[in-house]
Amino acid sequence: MCLSWHQSWTDDLPLCQMCGVGTAPNCVYGPDGKGTQSHPNEDGHLRFRGDDGCFLYGVFNGYDGSRVANFASQCLTAELLLGQLNSGHTDNDVRRILTQAFDVVEKSYFETIDDALAEKANLSNYLLPHNENVPFHQLSPQSQKVMERLKELEQEVSGGATVAVALILNNKLYIANVGTNRVLLCKSSSDGQNQVLQIGRPHSTDNEDELQRLAALGLDSARIRQAGQIAGQSSTRRLGDYRVKFNYNEIDLLSAAKSKPVVAEPEIHGGQSLEGVTGFLLLMSEGLINALESAHGPEQANQEIVAMVAAELAQQTSLEAVAQSVVDRVKRLHHDVFVSGRQRATYCSRHEDMTLLIRTLNYPLADAALTPTQGGRVCPVSVPYLNSQSTSKTSVTLSLVMPSQSTLTNGTNTASTLEEGTPTPGSQSPTATLQSTNTQTQSSSSSSGDGSLFRQRGSQAAQPDETGRVPPYVDFSQFYRLWGSDHGDGQSMQGGLGPQ
Protein backbone atom coordinates (compact mmCIF):
# COMPACT_ATOMS: atom_id res chain seq x y z
CA MET A 1 0.00 0.00 0.00
CA CYS A 2 2.77 2.44 0.88
CA LEU A 3 4.57 4.45 -1.73
CA SER A 4 8.33 4.61 -1.74
CA TRP A 5 9.76 6.74 1.04
CA HIS A 6 10.84 9.65 -1.16
CA GLN A 7 7.39 10.28 -2.64
CA SER A 8 5.25 12.94 -0.96
CA TRP A 9 1.69 12.48 -2.16
CA THR A 10 0.43 13.79 1.19
CA ASP A 11 1.17 17.33 0.00
CA ASP A 12 -2.15 17.13 -1.86
CA LEU A 13 -4.20 16.19 1.21
CA PRO A 14 -6.12 18.94 3.03
CA LEU A 15 -4.45 20.08 6.22
CA CYS A 16 -6.53 20.32 9.36
CA GLN A 17 -7.13 23.97 10.23
CA MET A 18 -8.11 23.20 13.83
CA CYS A 19 -4.56 22.50 14.95
CA GLY A 20 -1.17 24.17 15.17
CA VAL A 21 2.40 22.90 15.34
CA GLY A 22 5.45 24.39 17.03
CA THR A 23 9.00 23.13 16.62
CA ALA A 24 12.55 23.82 17.77
CA PRO A 25 15.80 22.11 16.74
CA ASN A 26 18.17 20.37 19.10
CA CYS A 27 20.72 22.47 20.96
CA VAL A 28 23.96 21.99 22.86
CA TYR A 29 25.07 24.83 25.16
CA GLY A 30 28.62 26.00 25.49
CA PRO A 31 30.17 27.34 28.72
CA ASP A 32 29.06 30.84 27.70
CA GLY A 33 25.44 29.74 27.41
CA LYS A 34 25.33 30.02 23.64
CA GLY A 35 23.69 27.11 21.88
CA THR A 36 24.60 25.27 18.69
CA GLN A 37 22.65 22.67 16.73
CA SER A 38 24.41 19.31 16.78
CA HIS A 39 22.47 17.58 13.96
CA PRO A 40 19.62 18.27 11.51
CA ASN A 41 16.12 18.21 12.96
CA GLU A 42 14.92 14.58 13.12
CA ASP A 43 11.34 15.13 14.34
CA GLY A 44 8.31 14.94 12.08
CA HIS A 45 4.55 15.44 12.26
CA LEU A 46 1.34 15.06 10.28
CA ARG A 47 -2.07 16.79 10.52
CA PHE A 48 -4.57 15.87 7.84
CA ARG A 49 -8.30 15.99 7.36
CA GLY A 50 -9.66 12.92 5.60
CA ASP A 51 -13.08 12.01 4.30
CA ASP A 52 -16.14 11.06 6.34
CA GLY A 53 -15.25 13.33 9.29
CA CYS A 54 -11.87 11.69 9.83
CA PHE A 55 -8.85 13.57 11.21
CA LEU A 56 -5.32 12.22 11.60
CA TYR A 57 -2.48 13.73 13.64
CA GLY A 58 0.96 12.43 14.52
CA VAL A 59 4.26 13.40 16.12
CA PHE A 60 7.43 11.46 15.23
CA ASN A 61 10.62 11.55 17.26
CA GLY A 62 13.43 10.38 14.99
CA TYR A 63 16.95 9.45 16.02
CA ASP A 64 20.16 8.68 14.13
CA GLY A 65 18.66 10.50 11.16
CA SER A 66 15.20 11.52 9.98
CA ARG A 67 14.67 8.78 7.40
CA VAL A 68 12.37 6.61 9.53
CA ALA A 69 10.32 9.55 10.82
CA ASN A 70 9.82 10.90 7.29
CA PHE A 71 8.91 7.49 5.91
CA ALA A 72 6.51 6.70 8.74
CA SER A 73 4.64 9.99 8.38
CA GLN A 74 4.08 9.25 4.68
CA CYS A 75 3.29 5.57 5.02
CA LEU A 76 0.98 5.84 8.03
CA THR A 77 -1.07 8.44 6.20
CA ALA A 78 -1.33 6.15 3.18
CA GLU A 79 -2.40 3.24 5.38
CA LEU A 80 -5.12 5.20 7.17
CA LEU A 81 -6.51 7.81 4.77
CA LEU A 82 -6.96 5.88 1.51
CA GLY A 83 -10.45 4.66 2.31
CA GLN A 84 -9.55 2.16 5.02
CA LEU A 85 -11.54 4.07 7.65
CA ASN A 86 -15.21 4.98 7.50
CA SER A 87 -18.01 5.97 9.83
CA GLY A 88 -19.36 2.42 9.91
CA HIS A 89 -16.34 1.03 11.74
CA THR A 90 -16.61 -0.06 15.37
CA ASP A 91 -13.99 0.66 18.03
CA ASN A 92 -12.53 -2.81 17.52
CA ASP A 93 -12.33 -2.22 13.76
CA VAL A 94 -10.43 1.04 14.26
CA ARG A 95 -8.00 -0.54 16.72
CA ARG A 96 -7.33 -3.38 14.31
CA ILE A 97 -6.74 -1.00 11.40
CA LEU A 98 -4.36 1.13 13.48
CA THR A 99 -2.36 -1.92 14.60
CA GLN A 100 -2.14 -3.24 11.04
CA ALA A 101 -1.01 0.18 9.78
CA PHE A 102 1.98 0.22 12.13
CA ASP A 103 2.88 -3.31 11.10
CA VAL A 104 2.79 -2.34 7.41
CA VAL A 105 4.91 0.75 8.06
CA GLU A 106 7.58 -1.31 9.80
CA LYS A 107 7.73 -3.97 7.07
CA SER A 108 7.58 -1.41 4.25
CA TYR A 109 10.46 0.57 5.73
CA PHE A 110 12.71 -2.47 5.97
CA GLU A 111 11.87 -3.31 2.34
CA THR A 112 13.25 0.09 1.32
CA ILE A 113 16.64 -0.71 2.88
CA ASP A 114 16.86 -4.38 1.81
CA ASP A 115 19.34 -3.67 -0.97
CA ALA A 116 21.54 -1.56 1.27
CA LEU A 117 21.52 -4.24 3.99
CA ALA A 118 22.45 -6.91 1.45
CA GLU A 119 25.33 -4.83 0.11
CA LYS A 120 26.46 -4.12 3.65
CA ALA A 121 26.50 -7.84 4.52
CA ASN A 122 28.41 -8.65 1.32
CA LEU A 123 31.07 -6.00 1.91
CA SER A 124 31.44 -7.02 5.57
CA ASN A 125 32.26 -10.55 4.43
CA TYR A 126 34.90 -9.15 2.09
CA LEU A 127 36.92 -7.62 4.93
CA LEU A 128 39.19 -10.12 6.64
CA PRO A 129 38.61 -10.42 10.41
CA HIS A 130 42.16 -9.29 11.21
CA ASN A 131 41.52 -6.03 9.33
CA GLU A 132 38.89 -4.88 11.81
CA ASN A 133 41.42 -3.57 14.34
CA VAL A 134 43.90 -2.21 11.79
CA PRO A 135 44.12 1.61 11.60
CA PHE A 136 42.41 2.96 8.51
CA HIS A 137 45.56 4.47 6.99
CA GLN A 138 47.32 1.09 7.16
CA LEU A 139 44.66 -0.71 5.13
CA SER A 140 45.10 -1.38 1.45
CA PRO A 141 43.47 1.14 -0.93
CA GLN A 142 40.79 -1.40 -1.81
CA SER A 143 40.03 -2.11 1.85
CA GLN A 144 39.83 1.62 2.54
CA LYS A 145 37.19 1.99 -0.18
CA VAL A 146 35.24 -0.89 1.34
CA MET A 147 35.39 0.71 4.78
CA GLU A 148 34.20 4.05 3.41
CA ARG A 149 31.30 2.39 1.59
CA LEU A 150 30.34 0.45 4.72
CA LYS A 151 30.22 3.70 6.66
CA GLU A 152 27.91 5.22 4.04
CA LEU A 153 25.63 2.19 4.11
CA GLU A 154 25.50 2.17 7.89
CA GLN A 155 24.36 5.79 7.89
CA GLU A 156 21.78 5.03 5.19
CA VAL A 157 20.10 2.18 7.06
CA SER A 158 20.51 3.40 10.63
CA GLY A 159 17.94 5.17 12.71
CA GLY A 160 14.48 4.75 14.06
CA ALA A 161 11.56 6.73 15.40
CA THR A 162 8.98 6.74 18.16
CA VAL A 163 5.43 7.70 17.19
CA ALA A 164 2.29 9.11 18.80
CA VAL A 165 -0.78 9.18 16.54
CA ALA A 166 -4.22 10.62 17.26
CA LEU A 167 -7.21 9.67 15.12
CA ILE A 168 -10.64 11.30 15.35
CA LEU A 169 -13.46 9.34 13.69
CA ASN A 170 -17.19 9.51 14.40
CA ASN A 171 -16.32 12.21 16.95
CA LYS A 172 -14.33 9.63 18.92
CA LEU A 173 -10.65 9.89 19.83
CA TYR A 174 -8.19 7.03 19.31
CA ILE A 175 -4.54 7.16 20.35
CA ALA A 176 -1.84 4.82 18.99
CA ASN A 177 1.52 5.12 20.69
CA VAL A 178 4.91 3.50 20.09
CA GLY A 179 7.73 4.73 22.30
CA THR A 180 8.28 7.75 24.48
CA ASN A 181 6.27 10.65 23.06
CA ARG A 182 3.40 12.02 25.16
CA VAL A 183 -0.31 12.68 24.61
CA LEU A 184 -2.43 14.88 26.89
CA LEU A 185 -6.16 15.52 26.66
CA CYS A 186 -7.47 18.61 28.44
CA LYS A 187 -11.24 18.74 28.95
CA SER A 188 -13.05 21.79 30.34
CA SER A 189 -15.98 21.11 32.67
CA SER A 190 -19.15 23.17 33.00
CA ASP A 191 -17.79 24.97 36.06
CA GLY A 192 -14.77 26.21 34.11
CA GLN A 193 -12.21 23.73 35.40
CA ASN A 194 -9.99 21.63 33.15
CA GLN A 195 -9.24 17.97 33.66
CA VAL A 196 -5.95 16.79 32.17
CA LEU A 197 -5.47 13.16 31.23
CA GLN A 198 -2.17 11.65 30.11
CA ILE A 199 -3.22 8.98 27.64
CA GLY A 200 -0.93 5.99 28.00
CA ARG A 201 2.51 5.64 29.47
CA PRO A 202 5.84 5.88 27.64
CA HIS A 203 7.30 2.59 26.50
CA SER A 204 10.56 3.01 28.35
CA THR A 205 12.96 1.08 30.55
CA ASP A 206 11.14 2.19 33.72
CA ASN A 207 7.66 1.12 32.55
CA GLU A 208 6.68 -1.87 34.71
CA ASP A 209 4.42 -3.37 32.03
CA GLU A 210 7.21 -3.19 29.47
CA LEU A 211 9.72 -4.71 31.89
CA GLN A 212 7.32 -7.60 32.50
CA ARG A 213 6.93 -8.09 28.76
CA LEU A 214 10.71 -8.23 28.33
CA ALA A 215 11.10 -10.54 31.32
CA ALA A 216 8.62 -12.97 29.73
CA LEU A 217 11.03 -13.15 26.77
CA GLY A 218 13.83 -14.29 29.06
CA LEU A 219 15.54 -10.95 29.69
CA ASP A 220 16.79 -9.58 33.01
CA SER A 221 14.34 -6.73 33.67
CA ALA A 222 16.32 -5.40 36.65
CA ARG A 223 19.40 -5.09 34.47
CA ILE A 224 17.43 -3.31 31.75
CA ARG A 225 15.98 -0.88 34.28
CA GLN A 226 19.46 -0.17 35.63
CA ALA A 227 20.90 0.34 32.14
CA GLY A 228 18.16 2.88 31.37
CA GLN A 229 18.68 2.44 27.62
CA ILE A 230 18.52 -0.21 24.93
CA ALA A 231 21.05 0.38 22.16
CA GLY A 232 21.29 4.07 22.99
CA GLN A 233 17.55 4.77 23.36
CA SER A 234 15.25 4.70 26.39
CA SER A 235 12.34 3.37 24.32
CA THR A 236 11.35 -0.31 24.43
CA ARG A 237 9.10 0.05 21.36
CA ARG A 238 10.13 1.88 18.19
CA LEU A 239 9.85 1.91 14.42
CA GLY A 240 12.88 0.96 12.33
CA ASP A 241 16.27 0.46 13.99
CA TYR A 242 17.30 -2.68 12.11
CA ARG A 243 20.30 -3.24 14.40
CA VAL A 244 18.02 -3.88 17.37
CA LYS A 245 15.29 -5.65 15.39
CA PHE A 246 17.49 -8.13 13.49
CA ASN A 247 20.72 -8.29 15.45
CA TYR A 248 19.38 -8.26 19.02
CA ASN A 249 21.14 -11.58 19.78
CA GLU A 250 24.43 -9.76 19.29
CA ILE A 251 23.51 -7.07 21.84
CA ASP A 252 24.60 -8.17 25.31
CA LEU A 253 21.58 -6.72 27.10
CA LEU A 254 19.17 -8.49 24.71
CA SER A 255 21.12 -11.64 23.81
CA ALA A 256 18.99 -13.95 25.98
CA ALA A 257 15.69 -12.95 24.34
CA LYS A 258 13.56 -15.80 22.93
CA SER A 259 12.09 -13.49 20.28
CA LYS A 260 12.33 -9.90 19.08
CA PRO A 261 12.28 -7.78 22.27
CA VAL A 262 11.98 -4.27 20.80
CA VAL A 263 8.78 -4.11 18.76
CA ALA A 264 6.73 -1.64 16.73
CA GLU A 265 3.33 -2.80 17.99
CA PRO A 266 1.35 0.25 19.14
CA GLU A 267 -0.57 0.59 22.38
CA ILE A 268 -4.10 1.65 21.38
CA HIS A 269 -6.45 3.75 23.52
CA GLY A 270 -10.01 4.64 22.60
CA GLY A 271 -12.39 5.36 21.23
CA GLN A 272 -13.20 8.08 23.70
CA SER A 273 -16.26 10.12 22.85
CA LEU A 274 -15.63 13.81 22.19
CA GLU A 275 -19.33 14.65 22.21
CA GLY A 276 -19.79 17.92 24.07
CA VAL A 277 -16.09 18.11 24.96
CA THR A 278 -14.44 21.52 25.14
CA GLY A 279 -10.68 21.58 25.51
CA PHE A 280 -7.58 20.64 23.54
CA LEU A 281 -5.39 17.69 22.63
CA LEU A 282 -1.59 17.87 22.89
CA LEU A 283 0.89 15.60 21.10
CA MET A 284 4.48 16.16 22.21
CA SER A 285 7.76 14.68 21.08
CA GLU A 286 10.06 13.22 23.70
CA GLY A 287 12.48 16.12 23.26
CA LEU A 288 9.91 18.70 24.38
CA ILE A 289 8.79 16.91 27.51
CA ASN A 290 12.38 15.95 28.42
CA ALA A 291 13.51 19.58 28.14
CA LEU A 292 10.78 20.73 30.53
CA GLU A 293 11.38 17.88 32.96
CA SER A 294 15.14 18.52 32.89
CA ALA A 295 14.54 22.14 33.83
CA HIS A 296 11.84 21.75 36.48
CA GLY A 297 11.61 18.06 37.33
CA PRO A 298 8.94 15.59 36.18
CA GLU A 299 6.39 16.17 38.93
CA GLN A 300 4.39 19.04 37.41
CA ALA A 301 5.37 18.82 33.73
CA ASN A 302 1.87 18.05 32.47
CA GLN A 303 0.34 20.88 34.48
CA GLU A 304 2.96 23.33 33.30
CA ILE A 305 2.41 22.52 29.64
CA VAL A 306 -1.36 22.83 30.02
CA ALA A 307 -0.98 26.17 31.81
CA MET A 308 1.31 27.47 29.08
CA VAL A 309 -1.08 26.38 26.33
CA ALA A 310 -4.09 27.88 28.12
CA ALA A 311 -2.23 31.16 28.63
CA GLU A 312 -1.29 31.39 24.95
CA LEU A 313 -4.79 30.43 23.80
CA ALA A 314 -6.07 33.38 25.83
CA GLN A 315 -3.74 35.78 24.01
CA GLN A 316 -3.08 34.43 20.49
CA THR A 317 -5.42 34.40 17.52
CA SER A 318 -3.54 31.65 15.64
CA LEU A 319 -3.04 28.04 16.76
CA GLU A 320 0.28 28.00 14.94
CA ALA A 321 1.38 30.96 17.06
CA VAL A 322 0.10 29.26 20.22
CA ALA A 323 2.09 26.08 19.59
CA GLN A 324 5.26 27.91 18.60
CA SER A 325 5.05 30.25 21.60
CA VAL A 326 4.80 27.30 24.00
CA VAL A 327 7.77 25.54 22.39
CA ASP A 328 9.78 28.78 22.51
CA ARG A 329 8.90 29.20 26.16
CA VAL A 330 10.06 25.66 27.04
CA LYS A 331 13.27 26.24 25.08
CA ARG A 332 13.89 29.47 26.98
CA LEU A 333 13.12 27.85 30.34
CA HIS A 334 15.63 25.10 29.61
CA HIS A 335 18.31 27.59 28.61
CA ASP A 336 17.68 29.84 31.61
CA VAL A 337 18.05 26.97 34.05
CA PHE A 338 21.37 26.01 32.43
CA VAL A 339 22.86 29.51 32.69
CA SER A 340 21.45 30.01 36.20
CA GLY A 341 23.88 27.53 37.72
CA ARG A 342 21.11 26.19 39.94
CA GLN A 343 20.88 22.59 41.06
CA ARG A 344 19.14 21.37 37.89
CA ALA A 345 21.57 23.17 35.57
CA THR A 346 23.61 19.98 35.19
CA TYR A 347 20.57 18.30 33.56
CA CYS A 348 20.17 21.09 31.02
CA SER A 349 23.41 21.12 29.05
CA ARG A 350 21.52 20.09 25.90
CA HIS A 351 18.08 19.26 24.56
CA GLU A 352 16.83 17.29 21.58
CA ASP A 353 14.43 18.37 18.82
CA MET A 354 11.08 19.55 20.15
CA THR A 355 7.65 19.29 18.53
CA LEU A 356 4.23 20.24 19.92
CA LEU A 357 0.94 19.68 18.09
CA ILE A 358 -2.21 21.31 19.51
CA ARG A 359 -5.69 20.31 18.33
CA THR A 360 -8.51 22.34 19.85
CA LEU A 361 -11.89 20.79 20.67
CA ASN A 362 -14.52 23.55 20.59
CA TYR A 363 -12.00 25.68 22.49
CA PRO A 364 -12.09 29.39 21.61
CA LEU A 365 -9.01 31.36 20.65
CA ALA A 366 -8.45 34.88 21.90
CA ASP A 367 -10.84 37.48 20.49
CA ALA A 368 -8.77 39.58 18.12
CA ALA A 369 -10.98 42.56 18.94
CA LEU A 370 -10.30 42.25 22.67
CA THR A 371 -6.68 42.28 23.73
CA PRO A 372 -5.55 40.59 26.97
CA THR A 373 -5.15 44.01 28.61
CA GLN A 374 -8.81 44.91 28.14
CA GLY A 375 -11.19 43.58 30.72
CA GLY A 376 -8.85 41.49 32.84
CA ARG A 377 -10.26 38.19 31.59
CA VAL A 378 -9.93 35.17 33.86
CA CYS A 379 -9.11 31.84 32.21
CA PRO A 380 -9.40 29.09 34.86
CA VAL A 381 -7.25 26.01 34.33
CA SER A 382 -7.95 23.63 37.17
CA VAL A 383 -5.96 20.42 36.76
CA PRO A 384 -6.77 17.22 38.68
CA TYR A 385 -3.61 15.39 37.65
CA LEU A 386 -4.33 11.85 36.49
CA ASN A 387 -1.34 9.69 35.64
CA SER A 388 -0.98 5.97 36.11
CA GLN A 389 2.62 6.55 37.19
CA SER A 390 1.58 8.71 40.13
CA THR A 391 1.29 7.23 43.57
CA SER A 392 -1.03 10.05 44.62
CA LYS A 393 -3.58 12.12 42.78
CA THR A 394 -3.08 15.67 43.92
CA SER A 395 -5.62 18.19 42.72
CA VAL A 396 -3.91 21.28 41.36
CA THR A 397 -5.77 24.39 40.28
CA LEU A 398 -4.21 26.87 37.85
CA SER A 399 -6.15 30.10 37.44
CA LEU A 400 -4.70 32.16 34.61
CA VAL A 401 -5.70 35.78 35.13
CA MET A 402 -5.11 38.09 32.19
CA PRO A 403 -4.00 41.58 33.28
CA SER A 404 -6.31 44.56 33.02
CA GLN A 405 -5.34 48.13 32.15
CA SER A 406 -5.46 49.41 35.69
CA THR A 407 -3.50 46.59 37.32
CA LEU A 408 0.17 45.82 37.02
CA THR A 409 0.66 42.07 37.09
CA ASN A 410 4.35 42.26 37.93
CA GLY A 411 3.84 41.93 41.67
CA THR A 412 6.26 42.48 44.53
CA ASN A 413 8.17 39.67 46.26
CA THR A 414 7.02 36.96 43.87
CA ALA A 415 8.77 34.21 41.97
CA SER A 416 7.32 32.39 39.01
CA THR A 417 6.04 28.91 39.77
CA LEU A 418 5.77 28.11 36.08
CA GLU A 419 8.96 29.60 34.74
CA GLU A 420 11.43 30.27 37.53
CA GLY A 421 11.97 33.84 36.49
CA THR A 422 11.60 33.61 32.72
CA PRO A 423 9.46 36.38 31.20
CA THR A 424 6.41 35.60 29.13
CA PRO A 425 6.60 36.88 25.53
CA GLY A 426 5.01 40.25 25.05
CA SER A 427 4.44 43.11 27.44
CA GLN A 428 1.35 41.58 29.07
CA SER A 429 1.78 38.35 31.00
CA PRO A 430 -0.76 36.09 32.66
CA THR A 431 -0.73 35.66 36.41
CA ALA A 432 -0.90 32.07 37.61
CA THR A 433 -2.38 30.97 40.91
CA LEU A 434 -1.54 27.44 42.02
CA GLN A 435 -3.85 25.82 44.54
CA SER A 436 -3.25 22.26 45.70
CA THR A 437 -4.17 20.09 48.62
CA ASN A 438 -0.87 20.92 50.33
CA THR A 439 0.17 24.41 49.28
CA GLN A 440 -1.29 27.64 48.02
CA THR A 441 1.11 29.93 46.22
CA GLN A 442 0.46 33.25 44.50
CA SER A 443 2.93 33.88 41.71
CA SER A 444 3.55 35.96 38.64
CA SER A 445 5.01 34.48 35.47
CA SER A 446 6.85 37.71 34.72
CA SER A 447 8.61 38.63 37.93
CA SER A 448 11.77 36.94 39.16
CA GLY A 449 13.10 39.41 41.70
CA ASP A 450 11.76 41.59 44.48
CA GLY A 451 9.82 43.82 42.10
CA SER A 452 11.74 46.96 43.11
CA LEU A 453 12.27 48.03 39.51
CA PHE A 454 8.58 48.10 38.75
CA ARG A 455 6.49 51.21 39.34
CA GLN A 456 3.03 50.70 40.76
CA ARG A 457 0.71 52.57 38.42
CA GLY A 458 -2.77 53.80 39.11
CA SER A 459 -5.51 53.79 36.51
CA GLN A 460 -4.60 57.36 35.45
CA ALA A 461 -0.89 56.56 35.10
CA ALA A 462 -1.57 54.44 32.05
CA GLN A 463 -2.92 57.43 30.13
CA PRO A 464 -0.60 59.21 27.64
CA ASP A 465 0.88 62.54 28.77
CA GLU A 466 0.97 65.73 26.74
CA THR A 467 3.78 64.30 24.58
CA GLY A 468 1.72 61.22 23.75
CA ARG A 469 3.89 58.90 25.84
CA VAL A 470 2.93 56.38 28.51
CA PRO A 471 5.08 56.19 31.69
CA PRO A 472 7.51 53.26 31.54
CA TYR A 473 7.15 50.07 33.57
CA VAL A 474 10.79 50.21 34.68
CA ASP A 475 12.67 53.11 36.27
CA PHE A 476 16.15 53.31 34.73
CA SER A 477 17.22 56.57 36.42
CA GLN A 478 19.67 54.82 38.74
CA PHE A 479 21.21 53.04 35.76
CA TYR A 480 21.65 56.34 33.94
CA ARG A 481 23.32 57.93 37.00
CA LEU A 482 25.73 55.01 37.40
CA TRP A 483 26.54 54.99 33.69
CA GLY A 484 27.11 58.72 33.72
CA SER A 485 29.46 58.54 36.68
CA ASP A 486 31.64 56.05 34.76
CA HIS A 487 31.43 57.63 31.30
CA GLY A 488 30.99 61.33 31.90
CA ASP A 489 28.76 63.73 33.75
CA GLY A 490 25.14 62.96 34.45
CA GLN A 491 23.86 65.88 32.33
CA SER A 492 25.44 64.56 29.13
CA MET A 493 24.10 61.13 29.96
CA GLN A 494 20.60 62.44 30.56
CA GLY A 495 20.74 64.16 27.22
CA GLY A 496 21.99 60.99 25.52
CA LEU A 497 20.62 57.64 26.61
CA GLY A 498 18.16 58.84 29.22
CA PRO A 499 14.48 59.48 28.62
CA GLN A 500 13.75 62.60 26.63
Side-chain angles (χ1 to χ4, degrees):
M1 179 69 70
C2 283
L3 305 178
S4 62
W5 72 272
H6 59 277
Q7 292 176 294
S8 183
W9 66 271
T10 57
D11 290 344
D12 298 326
L13 285 176
L15 294 177
C16 174
Q17 301 301 318
M18 292 181 287
C19 74
V21 177
T23 64
N26 58 91
C27 187
V28 179
Y29 304 125
D32 58 357
K34 293 182 179 179
T36 57
Q37 188 173 342
S38 62
H39 58 77
N41 196 328
E42 297 168 336
D43 277 5
H45 67 270
L46 60 87
R47 44 171 172 171
F48 293 118
R49 174 172 54 84
D51 297 328
D52 210 6
C54 179
F55 299 87
L56 182 66
Y57 312 96
V59 165
F60 304 82
N61 177 45
Y63 59 90
D64 293 340
S66 59
R67 181 186 177 102
V68 178
N70 292 338
F71 179 88
S73 64
Q74 294 283 317
C75 193
L76 265 178
T77 307
E79 287 302 313
L80 295 171
L81 294 185
L82 288 183
Q84 296 89 336
L85 294 164
N86 61 66
S87 58
H89 281 133
T90 65
D91 288 349
N92 286 336
D93 292 334
V94 174
R95 295 189 195 104
R96 174 179 51 81
I97 292 171
L98 283 169
T99 301
Q100 289 177 349
F102 275 79
D103 184 55
V104 170
V105 169
E106 174 95 324
K107 292 177 179 177
S108 298
Y109 169 71
F110 286 130
E111 287 176 2
T112 68
I113 63 173
D114 272 348
D115 291 343
L117 289 174
E119 183 183 354
K120 182 173 179 292
N122 184 51
L123 291 178
S124 297
N125 292 332
Y126 169 82
L127 289 177
L128 296 176
H130 68 268
N131 282 341
E132 293 180 356
N133 298 321
V134 176
F136 181 82
H137 67 276
Q138 294 182 10
L139 293 172
S140 67
Q142 190 170 8
S143 294
Q144 288 182 358
K145 290 182 179 180
V146 171
M147 291 290 290
E148 290 173 351
R149 179 55 181 161
L150 282 172
K151 186 176 180 180
E152 293 174 357
L153 289 169
E154 181 66 26
Q155 186 174 5
E156 182 178 338
V157 302
S158 291
T162 58
V163 183
V165 166
L167 171 71
I168 297 177
L169 181 67
N170 294 330
N171 210 21
K172 287 184 176 181
L173 173 66
Y174 303 86
I175 300 297
N177 183 50
V178 170
T180 48
N181 300 316
R182 185 169 297 185
V183 179
L184 300 180
L185 176 62
C186 177
K187 298 194 295 183
S188 299
S189 60
S190 57
D191 60 359
Q193 296 190 357
N194 290 349
Q195 184 183 45
V196 176
L197 302 174
Q198 178 174 329
I199 304 178
R201 293 182 59 188
H203 301 129
S204 62
T205 55
D206 59 1
N207 182 324
E208 289 295 340
D209 293 337
E210 285 297 282
L211 290 175
Q212 290 181 16
R213 180 180 68 82
L214 295 173
L217 298 178
L219 297 180
D220 186 343
S221 60
R223 187 181 173 201
I224 292 175
R225 183 199 295 273
Q226 183 178 14
Q229 290 187 337
I230 297 176
Q233 299 294 318
S234 63
S235 59
T236 55
R237 302 193 192 194
R238 57 188 85 158
L239 288 175
D241 206 334
Y242 86 94
R243 291 172 298 178
V244 175
K245 299 293 177 66
F246 295 108
N247 301 322
Y248 64 88
N249 287 321
E250 300 176 8
I251 300 173
D252 181 50
L253 194 64
L254 307 177
S255 59
K258 301 173 185 176
S259 62
K260 187 183 298 183
V262 177
V263 297
E265 180 182 355
E267 183 178 350
I268 310 292
H269 299 269
Q272 180 170 348
S273 174
L274 297 178
E275 190 69 32
V277 171
T278 298
F280 46 84
L281 179 71
L282 306 180
L283 275 66
M284 297 169 282
S285 68
E286 180 184 5
L288 177 71
I289 203 68
N290 281 354
L292 183 58
E293 291 185 347
S294 296
H296 287 178
E299 296 81 10
Q300 301 292 322
N302 288 354
Q303 294 94 319
E304 289 188 63
I305 284 288
V306 167
M308 292 179 196
V309 171
E312 295 299 335
L313 285 169
Q315 299 183 78
Q316 305 279 5
T317 57
S318 158
L319 280 172
E320 208 76 7
V322 171
Q324 190 59 55
S325 294
V326 172
V327 171
D328 290 342
R329 181 183 289 199
V330 173
K331 182 178 179 178
R332 190 173 62 252
L333 285 172
H334 187 270
H335 172 267
D336 288 354
V337 170
F338 173 75
V339 299
S340 71
R342 294 194 294 267
Q343 183 178 2
R344 298 203 65 85
T346 56
Y347 300 101
C348 297
S349 61
R350 62 178 299 148
H351 67 74
E352 276 301 325
D353 305 315
M354 297 188 286
T355 301
L356 170 65
L357 186 150
I358 302 173
R359 166 50 149 99
T360 54
L361 305 167
N362 304 309
Y363 197 98
L365 281 169
D367 186 350
L370 181 63
T371 67
T373 59
Q374 296 172 328
R377 294 176 296 156
V378 178
C379 307
V381 185
S382 148
V383 185
Y385 181 49
L386 301 180
N387 188 335
S388 57
Q389 299 183 73
S390 300
T391 55
S392 63
K393 295 179 180 177
T394 303
S395 178
V396 180
T397 300
L398 308 175
S399 295
L400 299 177
V401 185
M402 309 314 297
S404 63
Q405 277 187 316
S406 59
T407 305
L408 182 65
T409 60
N410 296 313
T412 304
N413 296 321
T414 60
S416 171
T417 303
L418 295 182
E419 301 193 12
E420 297 192 34
T422 304
T424 303
S427 59
Q428 294 87 20
S429 301
T431 298
T433 302
L434 299 184
Q435 297 175 340
S436 72
T437 55
N438 299 320
T439 60
Q440 185 170 351
T441 307
Q442 177 70 35
S443 64
S444 165
S445 60
S446 294
S447 175
S448 59
D450 62 3
S452 59
L453 286 178
F454 296 96
R455 296 174 176 174
Q456 293 293 335
R457 301 190 302 167
S459 58
Q460 298 302 318
Q463 302 301 319
D465 58 21
E466 64 276 3
T467 67
R469 299 185 178 187
V470 176
Y473 281 93
V474 183
D475 184 357
F476 284 99
S477 57
Q478 183 179 6
F479 166 77
Y480 297 138
R481 287 194 297 272
L482 292 173
W483 180 280
S485 64
D486 290 337
H487 298 80
D489 60 28
Q491 292 298 324
S492 62
M493 196 60 208
Q494 183 70 17
L497 296 178
Q500 302 298 309

